[in-house]
Amino acid sequence: MAQIFKATKKPLKQQSLVLDITAMDHHGRGIAKHNNKVCFVSNALPNEQVKATIVADKARYSEAQTHKVLQASEYRVAPFCEHYNQCGGCQLQHLDSGQQVVEKQIAVSKLFEKFAKLDELNWQAPLLSKATHYRRSARLAVMFDKKAKKMHVGYRASGSKSIISINECPVLSEVFANVFTVFDNLINQHKALHSVSHLQLCQGDEQNFVIIRHTKPISESIKALVAQSAAEQQWQLVWQSESEVIEHSHLAMPFYALEELGLKFEFGLNNFIQVNASVNQAMLKQAQNWLALKGDENVLDLFCGIGNFSLVLAKQAKTVIGVEGVASAVAMATQNAHTNLITNAQFNCFDLTNKIETASWFNKNLDVLVLDPSRTGAITVLEQLPLKQFKTILYVSCDPVTLARDSAIISQAGFELHKIGLMNMFPHTGHIETMALFQRR
């Protein structure tokens, strides 16, 4: 019988290295050189010297963890969260909040130079919000700790599947300030609640929701106890069993209003909405201002969700066609158009990873293209669309790598990057949201 040889991984030598940090990558990690390779160093800032330990050694790069700062950056600050060294949520609390935006912009510029061969970008003022209590939605994990013999309610630890018990989250909306302690007490007091796997939080303009995901049936008496505690905090409870459907038809529909734009958006608790309400509103106003529609344009809004951009632009355009792959979002977008008395916007459910040449919604009389894709970017549709029919393309990105990659395709189709700006949707994290405006040459 033949034996197959399997090479065993050599354990990394846990030696301390002194590294000089020269820059920051788009994930918020410091960049250094070690053994003629790029080394990405967590918790390290540009112009710092740190002691670090290699935690991963790949063929083309390595990764390291800082355990002592030998020479600190002038922008290094003390983290404000008690859980910062354990929680995997915020990676950049050790960097001044203003400088976070500066470093993110530098990182995006380097990616554009690498992927799109564009080295002079017309940066606009960044869109900012308050640096704390900006999250109106979040997902909390619940897990049993065998060592502590108790349930933990919190976030996942950095680089681990384990759960960190959280006392308070300074970036979460203040309406959920007590959510960790309330549910930690409830779940550990009642064994029937050990089947709870996670909690989903969502703040609407008038109601605050806690969706409780559980894997086994829970008695009505236990649910009543939880409901009483939730009512004291002014939270609306929604129980979700193993089904992916979140049933909340017994409650008033959640919504957010854009008063300056005269719009109201209802949404289902399973629909995507932007986490940062303040930046979302500023983002939509900026889209309006940058596009400066005159009223005779036909707009194609791809990855339109519940109509966040579509309905704003419909107020200035001749027509808007919104396309989204999630049926429940399309239904909500259609409902929002009706609620806001908007008749020049229509919405279509279509998987934008498929071929679009036969799509009923597509025609050749379109002037403006709006893209708001997921982190995978919009390469599939950009490679299929006859881009030269558009006069303007507005690209809203949550991943700077795919934005830079897709910008190369847009540039090759005859467009120039007219404006670009950061939208700091997630302060203190490595997430980078960007808006880019392209105009046909």
Side-chain angles (χ1 to χ4, degrees), residues 160-441:
S160 170
K161 292 183 179 180
S162 62
I163 304 301
I164 300 297
S165 284
I166 302 294
N167 296 320
E168 185 180 359
C169 176
V171 299
L172 190 59
S173 170
E174 288 147 310
V175 302
F176 296 119
N178 298 325
V179 71
F180 299 97
T181 53
V182 167
F183 279 94
D184 187 277
N185 290 334
L186 284 168
I187 292 173
N188 281 293
Q189 285 174 10
H190 303 284
K191 194 171 182 179
L193 295 174
H194 286 198
S195 67
V196 174
S197 60
H198 71 257
L199 306 173
Q200 182 178 328
L201 312 178
C202 183
Q203 179 185 16
D205 279 10
E206 292 184 353
Q207 293 175 295
N208 308 308
F209 297 85
V210 178
I211 300 99
I212 303 176
R213 169 79 169 181
H214 57 102
T215 57
K216 295 180 181 178
I218 296 173
S219 69
E220 292 303 316
S221 59
I222 295 294
K223 285 185 178 182
L225 287 173
V226 179
Q228 182 180 349
S229 295
E232 292 171 1
Q233 302 292 330
Q234 297 184 323
W235 301 329
Q236 297 285 347
L237 278 190
V238 177
W239 295 89
Q240 182 189 13
S241 62
E242 294 182 61
S243 168
E244 293 299 319
V245 177
I246 303 176
E247 176 53 53
H248 57 96
S249 59
H250 59 292
L251 299 172
M253 203 70 178
F255 72 90
Y256 61 89
L258 305 176
E259 293 183 1
E260 290 186 38
L261 301 173
L263 291 168
K264 175 182 176 181
F265 290 85
E266 293 183 334
F267 58 93
L269 293 175
N270 58 338
N271 292 139
F272 170 81
I273 63 169
Q274 295 289 357
V275 160
N276 191 320
S278 175
V279 171
N280 181 56
Q281 180 148 334
M283 174 180 72
L284 295 172
K285 288 177 64 178
Q286 179 169 277
Q288 253 190 351
N289 293 335
W290 284 16
L291 288 173
L293 302 178
K294 297 177 182 178
D296 58 352
E297 298 92 349
N298 297 305
V299 178
L300 178 62
D301 180 13
L302 301 184
F303 314 96
C304 69
I306 65 169
N308 199 38
F309 283 96
S310 299
L311 301 186
V312 170
L313 299 178
K315 289 203 159 194
Q316 295 180 324
K318 180 181 179 182
T319 64
V320 175
I321 298 172
V323 183
E324 167 62 50
V326 179
S328 63
V330 173
M332 196 57 63
T334 303
Q335 179 177 315
N336 283 327
H338 178 75
T339 301
N340 289 283
L341 304 178
I342 291 175
T343 59
N344 62 333
Q346 67 176 58
F347 297 94
N348 302 266
C349 187
F350 188 88
D351 183 350
L352 289 165
T353 63
N354 291 336
K355 291 184 178 180
I356 64 174
E357 57 187 11
T358 59
S360 60
W361 46 265
F362 185 69
N363 64 67
K364 300 285 178 67
N365 299 312
L366 298 165
D367 308 292
V368 176
L369 174 62
V370 177
L371 300 164
D372 185 12
S374 64
R375 292 180 186 177
T376 55
I379 189 169
T380 303
V381 291
L382 286 172
E383 289 179 337
Q384 296 185 71
L385 283 171
L387 293 178
K388 292 183 179 180
Q389 71 171 299
F390 299 106
K391 298 175 183 177
T392 307
I393 298 175
L394 184 75
Y395 195 132
V396 180
S397 165
C398 59
D399 186 288
V401 173
T402 53
L403 170 64
R405 177 204 66 193
D406 293 351
S407 294
I409 298 173
I410 296 171
S411 296
Q412 291 164 10
F415 290 81
E416 65 177 13
L417 179 56
H418 184 59
K419 292 180 180 179
I420 186 169
L422 286 182
M423 305 175 294
N424 203 26
M425 191 77 73
F426 299 91
H428 312 300
T429 77
H431 295 299
I432 301 178
E433 308 269 332
T434 317
M435 181 181 290
L437 180 70
F438 299 85
Q439 292 184 338
R440 193 170 61 196
R441 295 188 187 96

Side-chain angles (χ1 to χ4, degrees), residues 31-98:
I31 298 175
K33 276 291 185 74
H34 173 62
N35 284 345
N36 295 317
K37 291 190 294 188
V38 172
C39 183
F40 299 107
V41 190
S42 61
N43 197 25
L45 301 176
N47 301 316
E48 288 191 332
Q49 188 177 77
V50 302
K51 267 192 176 181
T53 302
I54 300 294
V55 295
D57 195 9
K58 310 290 184 180
R60 298 176 60 186
Y61 67 91
S62 58
E63 297 176 1
Q65 171 68 51
T66 299
H67 54 82
K68 186 175 182 180
V69 178
L70 301 177
Q71 181 178 321
S73 163
E74 62 180 304
Y75 298 109
R76 179 173 283 274
V77 297
F80 53 82
C81 177
E82 63 178 298
H83 306 290
Y84 182 63
N85 290 325
Q86 295 85 37
C87 177
C90 299
Q91 306 99 327
L92 291 177
Q93 283 185 22
H94 59 282
L95 176 59
D96 171 78
S97 58

